[in-house]
Amino acid sequence: MQNTARNAGPAEAAAGRVPADRYRERLGPSLWVLVAAALAGPMAALVFTPIDTTVALVIGAAVSVLVIALLILAAPTVRVERGELRAGRAHIGVEFLGDPEAHLGDDARHQRGAGLDPRAWHLIRGGIDGVVVIPVVDADDPTTAWVISSRTPDRLAAAVRRAQVKRSTQRR
């Protein structure tokens, strides 16, 4: 889900505006993952077919719906708001982050593969091509960078930059 007036919040949506430093994206499963998950239902139905075909169909449908719902509900979100980057359950203040780099295509594939730093914090999802790499500039933090999957890496990088500028201008 992207940062739009619909998901901005009640006050902002009522006013028809979205704060410039706010970003939200749900890293939901891709269509192919959902199709593969839906196949769990027919497999469960086959197990119960010798007992009763009606029971098997009901159980199969319930398993498909349950697996798909769990995949969607368990999808992490990436948010930038109030001077903080949140990726899943992890969070860090933007003042501890360096300049974010957005990667797409082969460059993103390299960042998720051979170029992946094992000391970095990762939120990588299959089926999402883009990656944002944000270095951590805090000397006390052993993590070197945050590597986050994003469908719109340029927007995520821009939101982090805007939050950094806003945070630095508030301190003056």
Side-chain angles (χ1 to χ4, degrees):
M1 184 182 323
Q2 297 303 316
N3 193 16
T4 62
R6 188 176 343 154
N7 65 15
E12 291 109 358
R17 66 185 190 287
V18 176
D21 65 333
R22 198 158 152 199
Y23 175 88
R24 183 175 189 275
E25 177 181 10
R26 180 175 288 278
L27 301 178
S30 68
L31 178 62
W32 296 111
V33 170
L34 293 176
V35 169
L39 292 176
M43 288 188 277
L46 283 174
V47 171
F48 291 97
T49 300
I51 298 170
D52 185 13
T53 55
T54 305
V55 171
L57 288 174
V58 170
I59 290 174
V63 166
S64 288
V65 169
L66 183 65
V67 170
I68 290 172
L70 287 175
L71 281 173
I72 291 172
L73 292 174
T77 59
V78 177
R79 296 186 317 251
V80 178
E81 58 188 5
R82 292 187 224 116
E84 191 171 67
L85 170 64
R86 291 187 168 270
R89 292 181 292 187
H91 58 92
I92 187 170
V94 294
E95 67 269 14
F96 301 116
L97 299 173
D99 189 36
E101 302 170 6
H103 302 281
L104 287 169
D106 289 336
D107 196 23
R109 200 168 5 270
H110 174 73
Q111 292 297 328
R112 286 189 308 266
L116 191 63
D117 185 355
R119 296 173 298 158
W121 185 88
H122 312 109
L123 179 63
I124 298 175
R125 291 292 178 253
I128 299 177
D129 185 44
V131 171
V132 177
V133 179
I134 310 168
V136 176
V137 295
D138 184 10
D140 296 332
D141 194 340
T143 305
T144 58
W146 279 38
V147 181
I148 304 170
S149 291
S150 175
R151 288 186 174 88
T152 56
D154 53 338
R155 292 179 62 191
L156 174 56
V160 170
R161 285 187 197 105
R162 281 192 305 267
Q164 288 171 332
V165 168
K166 185 175 182 180
R167 178 71 80 157
S168 68
T169 56
Q170 285 177 348
R171 290 186 177 172
R172 291 183 188 176

